[in-house]
Amino acid sequence: MDNKAYVSQTYPRLTVYNEENFRGSRRVFRGNLGIRNTDNILDGIESLRFFSTSSNATLVLFTGTRFRGNFRVFRGNRSIADLDDLIRGNDVESIISTNQRLTLQQIRNIRSTGRLPSGYRII
């Protein structure tokens, strides 16, 4: 009998809410992932909490779907009570959540190609 290893990635943990101020329905995502369109989750994400035990953890918020448009980078743990008008007056439309330290050049490459590095889940 073959024993197969199963690795469960606990962090980072991204909790999203469909109302501002961490209210309403919520959904928790774990591991390195990208959300292509926030409107497809809970009929829209209005607030979030990002938690990781890694100092390299990176949260990237984009003004366009599929990781396009302007972006804002956060390092380490964050709680954002209102995603409306967060980036130069624009709403957040897509998100990357990772334990890795993404450089600005890596983020620009993701923005230009719409593709995440290997090992990421797409939501």
Side-chain angles (χ1 to χ4, degrees), residues 8-17 22 26-33 35 47-54 56-61 74 76-80 95-100 121:
S8 174
Q9 189 172 359
T10 305
Y11 298 107
R13 183 175 61 230
L14 178 67
T15 306
V16 297
Y17 301 83
F22 320 109
R26 75 173 180 222
R27 188 160 174 199
V28 179
F29 298 97
R30 297 177 192 281
N32 297 329
L33 61 91
I35 298 174
S47 57
L48 64 80
R49 293 186 193 275
F50 177 70
F51 177 78
S52 178
T53 56
S54 171
N56 288 322
T58 305
L59 176 69
V60 187
L61 308 177
F74 297 94
N77 301 328
R78 289 289 164 171
S79 291
I80 303 173
I95 299 171
I96 297 173
S97 170
T98 180
N99 254 356
Q100 298 174 334
R121 286 184 304 135

Side-chain angles (χ1 to χ4, degrees), residues 66-80:
R66 303 178 68 81
F67 320 117
R68 306 279 187 195
N70 293 322
F71 62 87
R72 188 162 175 191
V73 179
F74 297 94
R75 308 276 186 208
N77 301 328
R78 289 289 164 171
S79 291
I80 303 173

Side-chain angles (χ1 to χ4, degrees), residues 58-60 62 67 71-73 75 96 102-112:
T58 305
L59 176 69
V60 187
F62 294 87
F67 320 117
F71 62 87
R72 188 162 175 191
V73 179
R75 308 276 186 208
I96 297 173
L102 291 178
T103 65
L104 290 178
Q105 187 57 49
Q106 288 173 308
I107 295 167
R108 287 184 188 109
N109 288 342
I110 292 168
R111 181 175 61 179
S112 67

